Amino acid sequence: FDDPLQWPEEAVNAYLAGTNLQAEVHRRRNFLRTVWDGVVKPLTQDFPEEFPPARFSWEKWLWARSAYTSRTFPAAVSTENRAQLSDDCTEIMLPVIDLVNHRHKEPCGVEWTETRVLMRHKGDKLPSGAEVFVNYGDKGNEELLLAYGFCVAGNPFDTAALSLGAKEVDSPARLRKVELLQQAGLSVDTDESGKISVGLFRIRRD
């Protein structure tokens, strides 16, 4: 897999320096490491036959996470599909179909039943030998890189994340500003220095 979770630490810091992705990759790795240290590693120590350490290593744990984020489909790809699943099932894996590449607005959908998987192309007739694409969704490059390990040049759904901050003295006016921002549904953080941070906002390419 090519997503940033699989990159060496020096590559993450070199290529993603100063971006939201750098912080998100570190956050995800730290979370996954906490789960591995607290759950998976003890299982390999207490039950090595059932959980062989080589198979349940930290590297394999990261690999499994990337397999999940890059290879799953929404469980409710259709009403018929949703009816076949339990309520607590949110994603499914469709081997081979998950190898099909992404192209935005591609009129191709996936349907599956208990016995077969269908890809329905609703656009023009495809010539023999042409590559078939599916649409992963209206995703910006940040989301595509983090989940799948690639970006799209000129991506019309690309966004830039922006957080706004201001220094305010501790006063009734400051408290009122925070209250109004929260009532507007915005994410607001404050610190002891009096700084007010608002966001994240996502600015879309026009």
Side-chain angles (χ1 to χ4, degrees):
F1 297 106
D2 298 319
D3 63 275
L5 278 183
Q6 304 296 325
W7 297 3
E9 188 68 18
E10 56 270 21
V12 172
N13 293 330
Y15 296 120
L16 302 180
T19 68
N20 297 308
L21 273 183
Q22 182 186 29
E24 181 61 18
V25 170
H26 289 155
R27 187 193 69 80
R28 291 194 181 193
R29 276 186 175 167
N30 290 338
F31 172 76
L32 291 170
R33 185 75 197 200
T34 298
V35 175
W36 186 82
D37 285 338
V39 178
V40 182
K41 187 177 180 180
L43 287 173
T44 66
Q45 296 169 337
D46 296 341
F47 307 99
E49 292 188 5
E50 293 82 356
F51 299 91
R55 183 174 296 179
F56 292 88
S57 65
W58 165 242
E59 291 75 19
K60 294 293 179 62
W61 181 245
L62 280 182
W63 180 91
R65 173 63 181 180
S66 293
Y68 170 76
T69 57
S70 67
R71 300 295 175 184
T72 54
F73 289 79
V77 292
S78 75
T79 302
E80 178 183 357
N81 300 156
R82 176 71 266 179
Q84 300 177 54
L85 302 171
S86 61
D87 292 338
D88 59 354
C89 179
T90 57
E91 286 88 21
I92 57 174
M93 301 188 90
L94 301 175
V96 181
I97 297 296
D98 61 10
L99 298 176
V100 180
N101 287 322
H102 162 75
R103 187 158 65 187
H104 73 86
K105 294 186 177 180
E106 188 70 14
C108 186
V110 177
E111 298 281 342
W112 60 272
T113 67
E114 292 181 351
T115 58
R116 62 179 180 171
V117 177
L118 302 175
M119 293 187 65
R120 301 183 186 277
H121 195 280
K122 301 174 183 178
D124 298 333
K125 184 177 180 181
L126 292 173
S128 176
E131 182 176 359
V132 176
F133 295 90
V134 295
N135 182 6
Y136 292 4
D138 298 344
K139 303 179 186 297
N141 282 336
E142 188 176 272
E143 186 175 359
L144 290 174
L145 181 61
L146 187 61
Y148 306 102
F150 69 87
C151 295
V152 176
N155 187 343
F157 303 104
D158 207 10
T159 60
L162 178 66
S163 180
L164 304 178
K167 187 72 172 293
E168 290 278 353
V169 296
D170 192 7
S171 67
R174 173 180 177 271
L175 297 176
R176 180 57 178 161
K177 288 179 181 180
V178 171
E179 181 182 355
L180 290 173
L181 289 168
Q182 291 174 334
Q183 288 177 359
L186 299 175
S187 173
V188 182
D189 289 318
T190 60
D191 61 24
E192 294 179 354
S193 70
K195 182 180 179 180
I196 300 175
S197 298
V198 186
L200 234 36
F201 300 98
R202 290 198 170 272
I203 304 173
R204 186 160 156 175
R205 178 196 299 267
D206 244 341

